[in-house]
Amino acid sequence: MSGGQIPSDAFTPVQVRVVLPDGQAVVARLWSRRQLHDGWRYEVGLPAYRNGPGDSVEPAEYRVWVRAPEHVRPVDGVSYDDVPTEYLEPPTVVQQALGPPRLSGWVLAKTGGRGPGRGVVHAADCEEAPAGTPVLTLDRALDAAQHPGTRLCSLCGAAQELDPVLKGFDHDAGDA
């Protein structure tokens, strides 16, 4: 199957062994599984108890997503063929070439000094961008970049991205 999700209409969860943080393994119910970019996650229902009306205690199930195969083991004789499974869509050729998407926007890192506009404009995902700084829209980043004393970071590409917009996409006549 190439993508999407297997319908879970008449699915009855099956048994699976879950390895707990302390190393012990318990039998749980497997509800679904999902393929992600960094591996598989299994939605399991762990047996538990909860307080009921009055002083009663009743059985319950705690559902959680766990990593597979690190925290999940099969139970002998159980078929997992009908477990609702969501497969990751394979990346397109363009996505493979471009890599993961970047965080959009820009941030202004203040550099101190006197006067307005002392700073560096970075792409939002730049390693040099200060944490917790508000993300600027394109218009705000361009406004900040026009102040004397503000420069564009060349490490993250803010200079290559914003300079053409600031300078009107100037081209040499010999480029055509």
Side-chain angles (χ1 to χ4, degrees):
M1 181 162 212
S2 66
Q5 184 162 355
I6 297 174
S8 61
D9 300 348
F11 176 72
T12 301
V14 294
Q15 289 186 335
V16 66
R17 198 169 312 283
V18 176
V19 180
L20 300 177
D22 66 359
Q24 70 176 305
V26 297
V27 175
R29 299 192 313 167
L30 176 60
W31 286 94
S32 65
R33 53 192 173 186
R34 179 179 297 155
Q35 183 185 28
L36 301 175
H37 289 286
D38 65 343
W40 284 88
R41 302 293 188 283
Y42 281 34
E43 181 187 21
V44 298
L46 296 165
Y49 289 103
R50 69 173 166 226
N51 293 326
D55 289 334
S56 68
V57 176
E58 51 191 40
E61 180 176 75
Y62 174 72
R63 284 202 194 176
V64 63
W65 287 92
V66 295
R67 287 183 175 273
E70 296 92 335
H71 304 122
V72 181
R73 305 285 184 272
V75 172
D76 290 339
V78 174
S79 171
Y80 299 99
D81 293 342
D82 294 329
V83 174
T85 304
E86 184 179 342
Y87 293 95
L88 184 66
E89 293 289 335
T92 65
V93 174
V94 171
Q95 290 169 331
Q96 288 175 4
L98 294 177
R102 288 181 48 193
L103 180 62
S104 64
W106 292 269
V107 297
L108 176 61
K110 299 286 186 178
T111 57
R114 292 194 295 207
R118 300 273 180 209
V120 180
V121 176
H122 297 278
D125 61 351
C126 180
E127 292 177 12
E128 299 294 319
T133 305
V135 177
L136 305 174
T137 63
L138 174 60
D139 289 337
R140 293 282 192 131
L142 292 171
D143 287 344
Q146 290 179 17
H147 285 88
T150 299
R151 65 180 182 84
L152 300 173
C153 178
S154 57
L155 176 67
C156 65
Q160 291 86 349
E161 294 173 10
L162 297 177
D163 260 344
V165 180
L166 288 168
K167 296 177 180 168
F169 295 95
D170 290 336
H171 296 287
D172 282 345
D175 287 349

